[in-house]
Amino acid sequence: MNHNHLDEIRHSLAHLLAAAVLERFPKAKLAIGPTIENGFYYDFLFPKPLEEGDLEKLENRMRDFITSGFPFSGTRVTPKEAKNLFKGQTFKLELISEFQKEKKPLTIYTTGIKQKTLSKPFEFKNSTLQYFIDLCRGGHVKNTKEINPEAFRLSHIAGAYWKGNEKNPMLTRVYGIAFETKKELDQYLHTQEEAKKRDHKKLGPELDLFTFSELVGPGLPLWTPKGTILRNVLDAFVWELRKKHGYEQVDIPHLTKKELYERSGHWDKFKDDLFKITTRDGRTLVIKPMNCPHHTQIYARKPHSYRELPKRYANTTKVYRDEQSGELAGISRVLSITQDDAHVFCRFSQTKEEFLKIWDIAHEFYKAFGFKLELRVSKHDPKTPEKYLGDKKKWKIAETLLDEIVKEKNMKASEGVGEAAFYGPKLDFMAKDSLGREWQVATIQLDMNMPERFDLTCTNEEGKPERIVMIHAAIMGSLERFISVIIEHFTGAFPLWLSPVQIAVLPVSEKHGKDAETFTKTLTDYDIRAQLFGTNDTLGKRIREAELQKIPYIVVMGDKEIEKNEINLRERGNKETKNIKRDIFIKETVEKIKKRI
């Protein structure tokens, strides 16, 4: 697939959508219509709300335009010409004035018959489009016949503030999805249908993992006993891997003076995203949005010899960020974020070795979920140096080191220019889930700026202070976001080692209840998470309930099983059952959990 050509198709479709809207709603105001991943959108101010069937009619009209074979052509215009052309189009006039103020060139693109005299942005004759003109910097097909009319859909609408500012008018955003072929579109639509079935916002409450309360507020999930087991099992796994590599656990408060973030550089960049508290005596405290500045102060509590380094601090704790309500999404985007955070304080000469240790931790962790990791080296954008802390020399040294690590591991890596943290470059590990969707998961970040700002040193072999470096390492990153990913990856059917309830024990009838209860206790004595499903309902209904909860093993106990000291075992996804001795079953299950199967 030619991604440039696909982008041109999507951009051209955005223009055709605008033309179809103006034909149907001549008084509509046009805003912007960019391409996005998998498609495009266009923002409009409609004279009246869209009705059921409007999207289908707009979509069909766009197909008419496509089959008409309209050419696209661009030309430069002066601000005066542009203002005359788009008079009455409030948002376009605002954009033109901004371009004029910034002395940026103005270009327009015409779909259809090219006009010598520019007087209005569109014209229809006898219900036939003559031309449509939009303010645009370009990137279009040469002719609409290059677009497959069966390879796009108008998918849905949403509200969107003009320029993303809630003080501005609320517009209607019409979304479209588009590909080069109908097969690709159908494939995408199938994936989207599958994604709906796997949606963590639906499955999480169904499996009783988390809930939201109107009294607590949006973006603040409440974790049930089952969901808390899931969180604890994941966190314990990460700690098990870190402990092998010499990490120590620390703990920090959820509040700080704002001066901590002023020193670290976070205040200038993120002050609008922070929750702030004014105390009774007028001091400003901040609810922490990140943990690294706190950890610097643990390191700075006393002098350190080079012999003591590296110091590796691990801390699973919540941070809080003031996200806009429209950006919140289930547990994948929340206000309270649990980070499995770690920071390594070391000499520059130790950096590569520490990076490789974290690399190994990440790969061992994600292997347990069947994720194959890919790598992105996220660097700063030299065109916008104002977005980053530190000088060019430090960034060059840090980014060169990351390139060397990737080369040493003999692993291919994409390069993400502009994706660096504001204090340093990073290695981002990317994973594809069972639907082929890509997620950024673990991250390792090299920071040569915060140690400078907090004057963090060690005493070297000559007895002199030596500037250290800091490595930020998150394996899951956000527990909430990671759990949303694995809920959808596994469709809620977690592997045995991870399932909040690993075994459902079902007595056939009331007379088998005592033996089933005893066996359930035996399982829990072996640290197996078992749940007794009592005889308050028929056996068939109880089996169905255990299946709906996606419990890996369903154990049924009746006369025959009790007499022979066996169980009747049904494995999730398998209709066949088998009888097995209880001690053998326990031994095999303990081993599988230990190996994380």
Side-chain angles (χ1 to χ4, degrees), residues 572-585:
R572 183 179 58 207
N574 189 351
K575 292 184 179 180
E576 300 295 323
T577 65
K578 64 179 181 180
N579 276 41
I580 183 173
K581 291 290 183 183
R582 296 182 198 179
D583 56 344
I584 294 174
F585 171 71

Side-chain angles (χ1 to χ4, degrees), residues 442-453:
T443 182
I444 319 173
Q445 305 169 4
L446 177 56
D447 186 351
M448 298 175 70
N449 287 296
M450 220 172 290
E452 190 79 37
R453 284 176 165 257

Side-chain angles (χ1 to χ4, degrees), residues 117-170:
T117 305
L118 303 175
S119 58
K120 56 183 180 179
F122 66 96
E123 184 178 332
F124 293 90
K125 283 184 181 179
N126 301 322
S127 298
T128 302
L129 176 66
Q130 298 299 298
Y131 67 88
F132 167 74
I133 300 171
D134 205 354
L135 188 68
C136 178
R137 64 185 173 196
H140 296 282
V141 295
K142 292 179 181 177
N143 192 289
T144 56
K145 285 191 173 179
E146 294 178 40
I147 303 170
N148 185 334
E150 299 304 319
F152 84 96
R153 292 283 186 281
L154 295 184
S155 55
H156 64 289
I157 62 171
Y161 289 110
W162 170 236
K163 295 183 176 177
N165 188 332
E166 59 187 14
K167 294 178 181 178
N168 289 336
M170 172 66 82

Side-chain angles (χ1 to χ4, degrees), residues 5 10 145 178 281 301 311 413 572 587:
H5 188 241
R10 289 168 174 167
K145 285 191 173 179
D281 57 2
R301 76 192 186 280
K311 300 299 291 184
R572 183 179 58 207
K587 183 180 178 182

Side-chain angles (χ1 to χ4, degrees), residues 254-447:
H254 289 247
L255 293 173
T256 178
K257 293 163 60 178
K258 72 173 185 176
E259 285 80 1
L260 179 70
Y261 294 131
E262 288 175 335
R263 175 79 71 87
S264 70
H266 290 94
W267 183 261
D268 287 341
K269 192 168 180 67
F270 298 114
K271 61 177 177 286
D272 293 334
D273 301 325
L274 310 185
F275 290 105
K276 307 172 190 73
I277 297 171
T278 302
T279 65
R280 284 179 293 180
D281 57 2
R283 291 177 299 130
T284 298
L285 295 178
V286 176
I287 302 179
K288 64 183 172 73
M290 66 283 299
N291 307 307
C292 37
H294 284 76
H295 286 187
T296 67
Q297 299 310 288
I298 297 176
Y299 180 85
R301 76 192 186 280
K302 65 176 185 177
H304 294 273
S305 163
Y306 72 94
R307 292 187 180 89
E308 300 175 62
L309 300 190
K311 300 299 291 184
R312 308 178 186 95
Y313 299 150
N315 188 192
T316 298
T317 179
K318 281 189 171 65
V319 298
Y320 303 85
R321 295 176 188 173
D322 188 7
E323 305 277 10
Q324 293 185 23
S325 57
E327 296 174 334
L328 301 175
I331 58 169
S332 63
R333 192 80 178 262
V334 292
L335 300 179
S336 59
I337 307 161
T338 312
Q339 293 182 330
D340 62 325
D341 222 351
H343 295 95
V344 179
F345 300 87
C346 63
R347 304 175 85 178
F348 184 79
S349 60
Q350 297 169 319
T351 306
K352 187 181 290 187
E353 183 181 352
E354 292 304 309
F355 255 76
L356 294 174
K357 286 177 181 176
I358 301 164
W359 181 303
D360 290 341
I361 290 171
H363 276 268
E364 188 167 349
F365 179 80
Y366 283 97
K367 184 173 66 176
F369 304 90
F371 286 135
K372 183 180 178 183
L373 296 180
E374 295 181 357
L375 194 64
R376 179 180 70 198
V377 183
S378 295
K379 300 182 177 181
H380 80 299
D381 186 349
K383 294 177 183 176
T384 55
E386 70 279 1
K387 293 183 178 179
Y388 308 94
L389 296 179
D391 56 38
K392 290 181 181 178
K393 186 178 178 183
K394 277 194 176 70
W395 278 91
K396 179 67 175 173
I397 292 170
E399 290 176 351
T400 300
L401 180 69
L402 265 57
D403 286 334
E404 288 174 3
I405 290 169
V406 173
K407 189 176 181 181
E408 189 169 312
K409 275 289 189 180
N410 196 29
M411 187 170 177
K412 290 181 180 178
S414 61
E415 191 170 280
V417 176
E419 297 292 331
F422 79 105
Y423 48 74
K426 55 194 178 112
L427 295 182
D428 289 325
F429 293 91
M430 320 297 288
K432 286 184 179 178
D433 67 13
S434 53
L435 290 180
R437 298 173 299 182
E438 188 172 68
W439 304 93
Q440 191 244 298
V441 284
T443 182
I444 319 173
Q445 305 169 4
L446 177 56
D447 186 351

